[in-house]
């Protein structure tokens, strides 16, 4: 077997993305037999695990008992070596579960990424051990994962590392019964050196994770929920996050690249290494996933390294006529790839690839400039979970999230409030999405009793440096955030000192980008807000205290700093649910009788309602437009997410999303699309028009459109023609009297017809209709690719019946699995793997995976009592 695609792949994996674009089939390589000759630098260890979880602590272990062996894992990321933790000379007490001889045959077999909590069941009690905030899913307890792999004598002469992209949480890793190390923060990517404990022949990895209750304000997930790799390299090699490429003097004519390569000699036998370091720069073709034409070459360097030492090699090169990286749609996300080779005596001993982009960044007091062009931040916040898939990372699910956001005109994502999967940044690089990369939700002061504050002092430096070094080559990352709504904002000097310490670390690791913290309470006069480079405000802009809120006070205190909303809106709604009466204002705090129904736990989708510290989208637009120096906003949130079901804590998932948890756009999607993607001919009518109980009653009709004028007709009778003024972002006819039939809107732009839309009173539900995301009916049998299948309940003309709520049963024939179903209803407590899912506002979703190494077709069927069933065929490629 050869593995051309993963040979010498850097930590910023190009592999998954290549698969996505080319639909290539990459075998999942189970490392059980002999190791191939031409082997990869990095091998997936995702398959073939055994797993067991317990809600008690049967092993009597804890992080605090084993901390002395775990802390040294951070040493590479702590600059002051006098602060390095020293590993005790002995192993801790024998842990039976970690021993190769331990019998794990009764444990569950599974592949990673894995989230042990997402299958449920949901806790429904009001005093549940995991309540609404954390998503009512059983994240708590101790989980053990075990896996065998074999190594040969050639491997024994190498350095062998375990790379874990994310494990929730308090990971501790044993190899052959020896505690290797670990990493507590569940969102961090980390590397452990297996070399000292590696055996020729069979090896047994055992990984222990531990999640406490009250450890997060939102759903954290549970388990090894990201990719895991085995990296095997020559003892002299490019280090873990071993390259750093930054650019300066960027223009269309040329750009200067600065490169730092960290070379490491991990030979424990004391051999000095004389190494030549060369790096070539090639165009990276996102379409094929391959290196294209070579465009530059860094000057080569020679370095002599004693055993156990690492050293940085710096060089610079100028690229002529660079193809710049920029966000879509205004610019193109062109990428390059740097291929670094280490040679000893002329022979290549390590090859390391780094994907990067060339672009300039300027943070002006009137906004962000990329390559000299102002880019207004049309951003959203995104938590890391992927809805019914939980935290278990899937590149297909992440791509679906980002591309739907991009369709809406979104150009930026804030990774609230923790480091994302590395592949999310690969996607953002490739798709041209800007990233505000955020690391912490808490510092020293707790938000909930078991959150990161417990380990902040021991781990903040290592976590922050590891995060920055992992992600700083990504051109999509344009802002670092080292905190969100931290209590330290109001803490006077000590809070500002903590901020300054974190700020200094960012400055040391990356002088090219600026920083922020999401500030919901710091005022312009606080010591805290002077520390951050950029003024990122949570809800302070949109006017609890006036139309532009705190923007003017920050503006006058910091006339030269960029100001923007790190969180805006917190508008809430339930897809397809309309409640009456409709508020006559443009924004209203939700309560019963005013957009809310606390009994059903639904919020009206007239899209005028928000939590009491928030505002509707329309109201945010007003304040952003009045403060024209503001650089843009990050809406809370793009997609719904698990947990934080404000305002109804008995539910399971959020109401904030512009897109619901299953991936169906709420009405608000078209409001943002009208403003953010104005070249799309959007015209969207709400509500639906099936109101048998409202005949003769006032039933407001609102229209979202990128046009500037609109005329609404009910059964052919004009309800009036309207023009948008400067501070209205929707058309509204609030006095329409309901009669069944047809609503039709014609919108105009600059006097010419722009876009039309129609909504009809439907007939009875008669049938189901299936469709796939992006009409993609081909699925790869790589054990990870997913197909997202929507089902609509329609009348016999194919109109979606908006109140249909009957149970739909999904079934599958052929070599595949229904991984999860959902409908976007935040109150639906049917476990996600259930094959039965109620339609919600006429729609539901099934997510299907093909079994690994299969061929043929998969037939997915949906049935529902009294309705004509539907079938869909997926081809396995
Ligand atoms: C854990 O501790 C309990 C109480 O001390 C003891 O009975 C039990 O055997 C221990 N279990 C293990 C796996 O060491
Ligand atoms: C650890 O325990 C295992 C299984 O109980 C046993 O086989 C092994 O010899 C023990 N190792 C040590 C160092 O005590
Ligand atoms: C690892 O190998 C041992 C010994 O052959 C076996 O008992 C155990 O089930 C294997 N574990 C896994 C996860 O394959
Ligand atoms: C190499 O560059 C890094 C990052 O800019 C810097 O910290 C370091 O001092 C440089 N080393 C040398 C030898 O110039
Ligand atoms: C490069 O050229 C484009 C198109 O002419 C222009 O919009 C852009 O501002 C230029 N970029 C830089 C960095 O000069
Ligand atoms: C909105 O309704 C409230 C209460 O019904 C009323 O007091 C107010 O005048 C109305 N405002 C407008 C602009 O119609
Ligand atoms: C939109 O509706 C108007 C009538 O109001 C009609 O004249 C026009 O052709 C329609 N345009 C499209 C694209 O359907």
């Amino acid at each position: 077997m050869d593995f051309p695609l993963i040979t010498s792949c850097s930590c910023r994996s190009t592999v998954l993305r290549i698969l996505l674009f080319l639909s290539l089939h990459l075998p999942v390589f189970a490392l059980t037999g002999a190791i191939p000759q031409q082997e990869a630098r990095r091998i997936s260890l995702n398959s073939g695990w055994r797993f067991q979880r317990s809600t008690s602590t049967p092993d009597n272990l804890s992080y605090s008992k084993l901390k002395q062996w775990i802390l040294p894992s951070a040493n590479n990321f702590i600059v002051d070596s006098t602060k390095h933790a020293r590993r005790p000379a002995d192993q801790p007490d024998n842990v039976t579960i970690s021993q190769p001889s331990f019998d794990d045959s009764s444990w569950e077999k599974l592949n990673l990424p894995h989230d042990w909590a997402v299958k449920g069941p949901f806790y429904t009690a009001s005093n549940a051990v995991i309540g609404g905030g954390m998503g009512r899913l059983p994240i708590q307890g101790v989980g053990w994962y075990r896996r065998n792999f074999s190594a040969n004598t050639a491997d024994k002469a190498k350095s062998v590392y375990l790379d874990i992209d994310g494990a929730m949480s308090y990971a501790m890793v044993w190899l052959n019964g020896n505690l290797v190390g670990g990493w507590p923060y569940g969102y961090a990517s980390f590397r452990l050196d297996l070399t000292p404990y590696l055996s020729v022949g069979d090896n047994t990895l055992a990984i222990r994770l531990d999640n406490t209750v009250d450890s997060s304000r939102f759903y954290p997930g549970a388990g090894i929920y990201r990719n895991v790799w085995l990296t095997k390299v020559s003892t002299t090699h490019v280090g873990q996050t071993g390259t750093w490429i930054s650019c300066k003097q960027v223009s269309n004519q040329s750009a200067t690249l600065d490169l730092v390569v960290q070379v490491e000699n991990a030979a424990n036998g004391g051999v000095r290494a004389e190494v030549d370091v060369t790096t070539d720069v090639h165009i990276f073709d996102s379409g094929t996933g391959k290196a294209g034409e070579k465009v530059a070459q860094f000057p080569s360097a020679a370095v002599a390294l004693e055993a156990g030492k690492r050293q940085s090699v710096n060089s610079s090169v100028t690229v002529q006529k660079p193809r710049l990286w920029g966000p879509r749609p205004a610019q193109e996300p062109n990428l390059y790839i740097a291929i670094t080779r280490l040679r000893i005596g002329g022979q290549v001993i390590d090859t390391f690839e780094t994907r990067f982009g060339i672009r300039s960044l300027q943070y002006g007091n009137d906004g962000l400039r990329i390559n000299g062009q102002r880019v207004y931040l049309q951003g959203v916040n995104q938590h890391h979970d992927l809805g019914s898939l939980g935290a278990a990372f899937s590149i297909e699910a992440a791509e679906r999230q980002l591309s739907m956001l991009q369709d809406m005109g979104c150009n930026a994502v804030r990774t609230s409030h923790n480091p994302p999967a590395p592949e999310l940044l690969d996607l953002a690089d490739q798709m041209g999405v800007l990233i505000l990369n955020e690391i912490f939700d808490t510092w020293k002061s707790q938000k909930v009793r078991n959150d990161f504050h417990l380990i902040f002092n021991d781990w903040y430096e290592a976590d922050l440096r590891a995060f920055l070094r992992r992600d700083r080559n990504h051109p999509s990352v344009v802002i670092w955030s080292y905190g969100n709504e931290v209590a330290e904002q109001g803490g006077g000097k000590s809070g500002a000192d903590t901020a300054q310490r974190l700020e200094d670390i960012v400055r040391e690791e990356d002088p090219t980008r600026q920083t922020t913290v999401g500030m919901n309470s710091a005022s312009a006069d606080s010591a805290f807000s002077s520390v951050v480079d950029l003024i990122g405000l949570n809800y302070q802009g949109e006017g609890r205290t006036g139309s532009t809120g705190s923007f003017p006070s920050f503006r006058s205190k910091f006339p030269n700093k960029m100001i923007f909303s790190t969180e805006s809106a917190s508008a809430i709604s339930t897809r397809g649910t309309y409640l009456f009466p409709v508020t006559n204002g443009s924004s209203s705090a939700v309560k019963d009788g005013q957009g809310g129904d606390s009994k059903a736990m639904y919020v009206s989708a007239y899209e005028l309602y928000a939590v009491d510290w928030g505002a509707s989208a329309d109201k945010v637009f007003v304040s952003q437009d009045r403060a024209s120096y503001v650089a843009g906003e990050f809406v809370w949130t793009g997609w719904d997410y698990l947990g934080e079901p404000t305002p109804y804590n008995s539910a399971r998932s959020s109401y904030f999303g512009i897109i619901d948890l299953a991936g169906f756009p709420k009405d608000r999607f078209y409001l943002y699309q009208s403003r953010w993607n104005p070249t799309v001919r959007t015209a969207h009518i709400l509500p639906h028009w099936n109101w048998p109980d409202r005949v003769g009653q006032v039933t407001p009709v609102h229209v979202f459109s990128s046009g500037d004028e609109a005329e609404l007709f009910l059964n052919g009778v004009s309800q009036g023609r309207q023009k948008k003024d400067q501070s209205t972002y929707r058309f509204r006819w609030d006095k329409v009297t309901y009669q069944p039939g047809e609503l039709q809107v014609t919108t105009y732009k600059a006097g010419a017809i722009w876009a039309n839309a129609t909504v009809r009173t439907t007939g009875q539900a008669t049938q189901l209709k299936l469709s796939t995301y992006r009409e993609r009916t081909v699925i790869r049998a790589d054990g990870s690719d997913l197909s997202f299948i929507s089902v609509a309940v329609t009348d016999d003309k194919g109109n979606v019946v908006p109140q249909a709520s009957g149970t739909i049963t999904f079934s599958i024939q052929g070599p595949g699995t229904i991984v999860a179903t959902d409908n976007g209803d935040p109150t639906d407590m049917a476990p996600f793997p259930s094959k039965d899912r109620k339609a919600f506002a006429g729609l539901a979703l099934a997510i299907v995976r093909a079994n690994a190494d299969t061929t043929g077709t998969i037939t997915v069927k949906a049935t529902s009592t009294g309705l004509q069933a539907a079938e869909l065929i997926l081809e396995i490629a």
Side-chain angles (χ1 to χ4, degrees):
M1 266 189 199
D2 68 20
F3 297 90
L5 292 175
I6 46 178
T7 302
S8 68
C9 193
S10 81
C11 58
R12 285 153 298 282
S13 163
T14 58
V15 177
L16 293 161
R17 197 54 193 156
I18 296 162
L19 289 174
L20 207 66
F21 273 78
L22 291 187
S23 296
L24 288 180
H25 171 74
L26 180 76
V28 173
F29 179 33
L31 187 70
T32 46
I35 287 152
Q37 276 300 297
Q38 244 311 78
E39 66 178 325
R41 188 180 200 267
R42 190 174 87 154
I43 296 157
S44 170
L45 272 196
N46 284 349
S47 66
W49 292 81
R50 293 266 185 185
F51 168 74
Q52 191 179 59
R53 169 196 175 231
S54 168
T55 49
S56 64
T57 311
D59 53 25
N60 294 342
L61 299 176
S62 67
Y63 170 68
S64 55
K65 272 192 196 165
L66 298 177
K67 185 176 150 178
Q68 290 166 279
W69 286 269
I70 305 305
L71 283 175
S73 304
N75 284 348
N76 286 346
F77 301 93
I78 292 175
V79 163
D80 178 354
S81 60
T82 66
K83 293 195 177 139
H84 285 183
R86 294 181 63 130
R87 191 185 162 91
D90 298 330
Q91 277 286 328
D93 290 347
N94 198 343
V95 175
T96 311
I97 299 178
S98 75
Q99 296 296 330
S101 57
F102 178 82
D103 181 6
D104 59 24
S105 57
S106 65
W107 290 16
E108 186 183 348
K109 268 180 152 161
L110 53 77
N111 297 332
L112 309 178
H114 171 238
D115 177 347
W116 79 58
V118 73
K119 70 174 193 283
F122 289 102
Y123 291 106
T124 51
S126 60
N127 60 349
V129 53
I130 305 292
M134 288 176 75
R136 301 191 168 277
L137 288 167
I139 60 98
Q140 79 282 18
V142 172
W144 276 94
Y145 293 81
R146 283 172 53 95
R147 188 198 201 276
N148 297 329
F149 68 92
S150 68
N152 59 22
T153 43
D155 297 327
K156 192 61 191 153
K158 292 183 174 180
S159 288
V160 178
Y161 299 103
L162 181 69
D163 287 315
I164 297 185
D165 288 347
M168 189 65 67
S169 60
Y170 286 93
M172 303 184 204
V173 175
W174 283 258
L175 181 65
N176 301 329
N178 302 288
L179 180 54
V180 182
W183 204 285
Y185 191 36
Y187 296 103
S189 295
F190 61 97
R191 161 173 286 192
L192 298 174
D193 186 1
L194 302 180
T195 317
Y197 311 105
L198 192 75
S199 302
V200 173
D202 290 337
N203 288 272
T204 302
L205 274 171
I207 302 179
R208 180 189 194 270
L209 304 181
D210 193 350
N211 289 322
T212 44
V213 298
D214 298 329
S215 55
S216 176
R217 297 184 302 123
F218 41 87
Y219 180 70
I224 308 180
Y225 68 102
R226 290 183 185 156
N227 293 317
V228 173
W229 310 92
L230 195 67
T231 299
K232 296 193 282 177
V233 281
S234 146
T235 52
T236 298
H237 53 265
V238 177
Q240 178 187 356
T241 51
T243 55
W244 161 219
I245 299 175
S246 54
C247 35
K248 60 189 183 207
Q249 284 130 26
V250 174
S251 74
N252 286 321
Q253 274 63 54
S254 69
T256 301
L257 307 180
D258 289 331
L259 167 73
V260 184
V261 180
Q262 194 178 65
V263 185
E264 192 169 316
N265 178 356
N268 44 18
V271 187
R272 176 186 155 99
E274 313 240 351
V275 190
D276 287 316
V277 184
T278 60
T279 301
D280 295 337
V281 178
H282 295 254
I283 286 171
F284 179 75
D285 182 335
S286 297
T288 64
K290 291 196 172 127
E293 185 195 341
K294 179 173 155 183
V295 296
Q297 178 177 335
F298 285 93
S300 62
V303 41
L305 269 182
E306 300 301 330
K309 295 282 185 226
R310 48 173 64 106
Q311 191 174 317
S312 293
V313 179
N314 293 12
S315 53
S316 297
V317 74
T318 298
V319 176
Q320 300 302 330
K321 296 213 182 316
R323 297 160 7 125
L324 305 182
W325 185 95
R328 287 204 165 114
Q331 301 185 30
E332 276 300 306
N334 296 305
L335 292 172
Y336 288 89
I337 187 163
I339 304 176
T340 300
R341 294 186 178 85
L342 305 189
R343 288 183 177 81
I344 294 183
Q347 196 175 356
V348 175
I349 53 150
D350 193 20
T351 305
F352 187 91
E353 296 185 358
T354 311
R355 267 174 50 177
F356 69 100
I358 301 177
R359 48 125 182 79
S360 71
L361 272 181
Q362 288 161 281
Y363 308 84
N365 65 359
D366 64 342
L368 184 68
R369 280 193 166 64
I370 297 176
N371 303 322
Q373 188 183 2
R374 187 181 191 232
V375 177
Y376 188 72
L377 293 169
Q378 300 175 165
V380 298
N381 283 271
Q382 289 283 89
H383 270 317
H384 76 306
D385 74 70
L386 297 166
S388 56
L389 301 170
F393 186 76
S394 150
I395 197 153
E396 289 78 21
E399 198 265 353
R400 178 170 172 253
Q401 286 197 338
L402 290 181
S403 35
M404 287 180 65
L405 291 168
Q406 240 177 357
D407 287 350
M408 186 173 76
C410 169
N411 62 12
V413 166
R414 175 182 183 225
T415 65
S416 46
H417 307 292
N418 35 256
E423 292 83 3
L424 183 93
L425 301 181
D426 292 336
L427 284 173
D429 287 349
Q430 214 143 343
M431 295 169 75
V433 177
L434 302 174
I435 298 286
L436 187 162
N437 206 359
E438 181 160 274
I439 177 165
F440 296 131
D441 191 47
T442 352
W443 297 348
K444 294 180 189 181
S445 294
Q446 73 174 62
K447 287 182 179 168
V448 289
R449 68 189 161 104
N450 291 319
D451 66 22
F452 190 76
H453 83 282
L454 295 175
I455 53 169
F456 181 88
N457 286 337
D458 283 341
W459 285 90
Y460 77 89
E461 180 182 352
D463 270 310
L464 183 53
R465 289 191 198 275
F467 162 72
L468 296 163
R469 290 180 199 172
R470 188 194 74 167
D471 292 349
R472 62 191 172 180
N473 288 320
H474 288 280
S476 56
V477 175
V478 291
I479 298 170
W480 299 114
S481 167
Y482 47 80
N484 170 62
E485 298 188 354
V486 290
E488 284 82 352
Q489 283 169 98
K493 184 167 177 333
S494 84
D497 287 349
T498 305
Q500 189 64 55
R501 172 74 183 125
L502 299 169
E503 173 75 21
D504 291 345
I505 290 174
V506 180
R507 199 55 51 242
E508 285 166 26
E509 297 291 337
D510 180 5
T512 73
R513 294 177 178 91
Q514 295 200 355
T515 65
T516 198
V517 168
M519 297 185 289
N520 62 328
S521 69
S523 70
D525 293 327
S526 65
F528 191 96
S529 55
S530 295
V531 177
V532 292
D533 300 330
L534 308 173
I535 302 297
L537 300 178
N538 289 10
Y539 314 107
Q540 294 205 55
E542 53 238 44
R544 256 172 296 172
T545 56
S547 64
T548 52
S550 308
F551 287 143
S553 62
F554 280 96
R555 175 72 169 175
S556 67
K557 178 76 190 288
F558 303 108
N560 298 318
K561 287 192 179 185
M562 183 174 118
I563 299 178
F564 65 111
S565 296
T566 23
E567 286 179 27
S568 59
S570 270
I572 46 183
S573 55
T574 309
R575 177 180 56 81
T577 303
Y578 306 91
L579 305 177
F580 302 91
V582 175
T583 189
N584 58 8
S586 71
S587 181
S588 174
V590 75
K591 56 184 189 213
D592 280 350
Q594 186 177 288
D597 178 344
S598 59
K599 211 159 155 228
M601 299 192 289
Y602 292 143
V603 178
S604 178
Y606 270 92
E607 310 293 12
L608 294 165
Y609 304 97
V611 294
D612 55 11
W613 63 88
S616 69
D618 314 57
K619 191 175 173 195
V620 175
F621 295 159
V622 172
S623 71
Q624 297 262 323
D625 284 349
R626 289 197 182 151
S628 60
Y629 48 85
V630 168
E633 61 171 318
F634 288 85
V635 177
W636 191 266
T637 55
W639 282 56
D640 271 329
Y641 55 94
L642 294 169
E644 255 185 2
T646 314
Y648 304 126
N649 194 52
S650 301
R652 61 166 206 204
S653 51
S654 79
Y655 295 74
F656 295 111
I658 300 170
I659 298 169
D660 78 15
L661 199 74
F664 300 120
K666 299 181 189 173
D667 293 291
R668 240 184 301 158
F669 181 94
Y670 303 97
L671 177 55
Y672 284 101
Q673 187 171 60
S674 300
R675 176 177 165 91
W676 285 355
N677 206 352
T679 59
V680 175
R681 291 179 180 252
T682 303
H684 177 82
I685 299 174
L686 66 90
H688 63 71
W689 213 239
N690 280 30
W691 301 105
D693 299 339
R694 298 191 64 78
V695 175
Q697 291 185 55
V698 169
T699 304
V701 176
H702 293 192
V703 167
F704 301 139
S705 175
S706 41
D708 53 24
E709 246 184 295
E711 184 167 15
L712 180 75
F713 300 88
L714 172 55
N715 295 329
V717 179
S718 175
Q719 306 293 303
R721 182 158 166 163
Q722 299 186 9
K723 242 185 157 82
K724 270 185 198 162
D725 69 30
Q726 276 241 301
S727 54
T728 56
Y729 299 90
R730 65 171 73 194
F731 299 104
R732 54 193 293 176
W733 291 265
D734 281 334
K735 301 216 165 80
V736 177
T737 301
Y738 178 77
Q739 293 296 336
E742 184 178 278
L743 284 172
Q744 194 260 326
V745 72
T746 300
T747 67
Y748 302 84
K749 196 164 184 171
I753 288 181
W754 177 249
N756 293 349
T758 306
V759 166
R760 290 181 191 88
T761 306
T762 73
Q764 291 294 310
T766 56
Q767 56 183 337
L768 299 176
K769 291 222 148 153
L770 291 175
S771 58
T772 54
Y773 170 65
R774 300 273 192 246
E775 289 163 16
R776 186 171 163 245
T777 52
V778 174
I779 188 169
R780 293 187 315 275
D782 58 3
S784 72
D785 192 15
L786 299 174
S787 179
F788 298 87
I789 300 173
S790 299
V791 58
V793 181
T794 77
D795 66 9
D796 51 14
K797 295 199 181 82
N799 299 307
V800 177
V801 178
Q803 282 144 327
S805 60
T807 298
I808 296 163
T809 300
F810 293 95
S811 60
I812 192 167
Q813 278 183 319
T817 318
I818 295 168
V819 184
T821 62
D822 192 14
N823 55 21
D825 177 354
T827 71
D828 188 335
M829 297 297 171
F832 286 127
S834 173
K835 309 286 179 286
D836 295 327
R837 180 66 54 187
K838 281 179 148 185
F840 185 62
L843 303 176
L845 175 82
I847 305 175
V848 168
R849 174 181 288 136
N851 299 343
D853 302 322
T854 50
T855 54
T857 60
I858 293 171
T859 304
V860 180
K861 192 168 180 185
T863 58
S864 186
T865 311
L867 303 180
Q868 191 186 321
E871 245 179 43
L872 187 139
I873 294 173
L874 296 174
E875 225 177 285
I876 301 174

